[in-house]
Amino acid sequence: LSLTSFSSPTSCIYLHCDRSRRMRPTSATVAVSAASLGLATAFVGAPPAARTACDRRTWSPTLTYEPSISAKAITGRTRTRRFSLAASVPPAQQSSPASSDECDVLVLGSGPAARAISTLLASSTSNGSGGFDVLVADANFDRRWVPNYGVWQDEWESVREVYASFGQPLGDACIDRLWSVTDCFFGGSFDIPVDYRMRLDRPYCRVDRDSLRRTLSPESEVDVLNEGEGAARYRVVRANHISKATAVNVYSPAGSLSHDESGSTVMLQAKDGETIQVRAKVVVDCTGHESKIVLKDDRVKSNPPGFQIAYGVLAKLDESSIPDTNFAGPYSKEAMTLFDYRTDHFPDGSNELYKAETAPTFNYVMPLDSNRVFFEETSLVARPAVSFEECKERCMTRLEHLGITVSEIEEEEFCYIPMGGPLPAKDQRVVGYGGGSAGGYPPPGDHL
């Protein structure tokens, strides 16, 4: 079977039949209207195994014989007849959308990757390029960003330069804490003393996730609090796609996402059930690592992904009995601690120490203001993944060993990031970006 694109609303299937007209196809070329038929047409006249796959998608194709045919279609001993293919679509998919929209680029999701690429695509560079009509689709567009983001200061300044070249400056309010030095602890390994501190003269920043979110948003969609916020020029629709990829460029439910030579048609659904049909030249999926419409390329051999798992806690500390409040345990409040890989908080020969040496974790420490500190126990990468509960237990055991007393927990963070694994299939029309692209190193925010 040969599948080709077909832009007409009427979809046809051409069956080459033998001269006895018993309608037993020997070959077929299918011309498909992807918007209405999807994969099912390719199974008409296919082997039983293929028809079974078609049946699982609940299609009921019917053939209508058209006796009139051009003599040019008859060659040699093969006679060609034309049949029109009508596929029964579930009633829920037959209803007309409540509204429709068109854009150059449809971006699915509204996290940092989505708002970053949308902001830049909707902006114009100094040479006049860009300025596309970008539509961001996410039913949870107004939800706060949960993760804490950190970045080296020099890398952040490079990012700011790129955004400034697009006329989208990232203001000073996007950084809420700057440490002039960065500390690391690797004691207990390679004959390094347990208390030895490695200090890097490289400044580190904590991103103000709320200010960055407002900066990468249109003014009409957020409450602007600082200069430079609300400068993005993309549009927003509070609705999600409803599709799931079943094969490359094939989606379920039928008609929910389809491609043709000039773009894509996507059905979106709001929380109240209202459907919106969007026509876009390009679709970018920024819904994260567990994307339902970006397929990984299983035709290329690759190792399965590892997983970065972390438990984070923003805590207030009880410092009533601490002689020097410039420190939280061994951690200087004037420094950001990037790594504390020490395992001296576990007894020698214990099962806990064995697990920590087999699947190491480190503590990541951001002293904020006064007695507020963000701690995060992180498994950089492991196969299989270290559990959240294991990371939390190690974090609390470490803090207790270091004499750090938590008086109040303001928030908890559970971080899950697949690392490595296969890349997205190159021949699919939806572009994966951010976590869904499986490219680069996602934790430090390469998607910005």
Side-chain angles (χ1 to χ4, degrees), residues 52-68:
T52 301
C54 177
D55 294 340
R56 285 199 297 268
R57 292 171 174 80
T58 67
W59 286 86
S60 302
T62 58
L63 294 175
T64 304
Y65 174 56
E66 295 183 5
S68 60

Side-chain angles (χ1 to χ4, degrees), residues 3 32 34 36-44 46-61 86-94 243-257 292 295:
L3 190 63
V32 182
S36 61
L37 298 177
L39 177 67
T41 52
F43 290 105
V44 177
R51 291 200 301 270
T52 301
C54 177
D55 294 340
R56 285 199 297 268
R57 292 171 174 80
T58 67
W59 286 86
S60 302
S88 61
V89 180
Q93 300 168 38
Q94 292 178 347
S243 305
K244 181 179 181 180
T246 57
V248 173
N249 298 325
V250 180
Y251 311 90
S252 175
S256 61
L257 199 168
K292 294 184 177 180
L295 295 180

Side-chain angles (χ1 to χ4, degrees), residues 85 159 164 238 253 269 311 378 429:
L85 178 65
V159 171
R238 287 169 173 79
Q269 189 173 63
Y311 166 77
T378 304
R429 294 281 295 274

